[in-house]
Amino acid sequence: MESAAANSGSPVAQRLASFIALAVLLVVIAAGFAYRLSHETALAELEARGAGRIGYHAGEMAGAIEKFEYLPYLLGLETSLTDLLYSPTKAAHVEAANRYLAFAQSRAGIAAAYLMDTGGTTLAASNWERPTSFVGRNYDFRPYFQEALGGRTGRFYGVGATTGEPGAFIAAPISAGDDVI
């Protein structure tokens, strides 16, 4: 009788070991392909769901912007605001504009309303009494301000430079004749 160690070197044993190694290799390759396929399928599903959510939220945001797009123009008709633009250092005009903007903000249900001069400096704001007031801050770098300064409605979605909170910003020019004031 031959021992098991002696049999391990036989051609049949070697072929069996090669066959088992090849089978294990094929199983590993098949598992790799299956993993890759399932991973790509899962990523495609996540991408499709994400695109759907983005589309939904973009539609919601567009609806919100459309809902309030008239508001800056309506606010611009208020005489306390135009008075302040013509006399920015007059305390009575500052107080009247701040109070009007606070009233308008609370009635419209918006986060804030504010008035800027042509240099981008905020002259009055609905939050004038808060530590995070916009009064005195300059937003000339914001796209919505640049659009309004050019005589057009400015729309922008981004993170607030003062509050750090994301939101939609809408701005409209206040004009005197052909000039944006």
Side-chain angles (χ1 to χ4, degrees), residues 12-165:
V12 172
Q14 288 176 348
R15 278 192 223 143
L16 182 60
S18 295
F19 176 76
I20 291 172
L22 181 62
V24 168
L25 180 62
L26 290 174
V27 168
V28 168
I29 290 172
F33 281 126
Y35 170 78
R36 184 174 178 183
L37 179 64
S38 66
H39 181 74
E40 288 176 1
T41 301
L43 283 177
E45 288 175 14
L46 282 173
E47 185 178 335
R49 272 190 270 158
R53 287 181 182 161
I54 288 171
Y56 170 77
H57 290 296
E60 288 289 310
M61 186 176 9
I65 289 173
E66 285 177 16
K67 178 180 175 183
F68 292 109
E69 194 162 332
Y70 72 93
L71 193 55
Y73 286 101
L74 187 61
L75 293 176
L77 298 174
E78 170 61 29
T79 58
S80 65
L81 300 184
T82 54
D83 288 347
L84 180 57
L85 289 170
Y86 287 120
S87 303
T89 59
K90 193 168 183 181
H93 291 287
V94 173
E95 183 176 346
N98 282 329
R99 292 193 183 285
Y100 175 74
L101 290 172
F103 168 78
Q105 175 267 327
S106 68
R107 292 296 179 158
I110 56 175
Y114 47 105
L115 176 71
M116 296 184 285
D117 63 17
T118 56
T121 300
T122 306
L123 302 178
S126 59
N127 65 356
W128 91 93
E129 294 181 305
R130 296 188 189 126
T132 55
S133 172
F134 301 151
V135 174
R137 298 187 186 256
N138 189 286
Y139 300 107
D140 67 346
F141 61 95
R142 300 295 269 193
Y144 60 89
F145 171 76
Q146 294 296 325
E147 288 292 315
L149 189 61
R152 299 171 300 279
T153 300
R155 295 169 200 86
F156 178 68
Y157 183 83
V159 176
T162 301
T163 65
E165 295 180 17

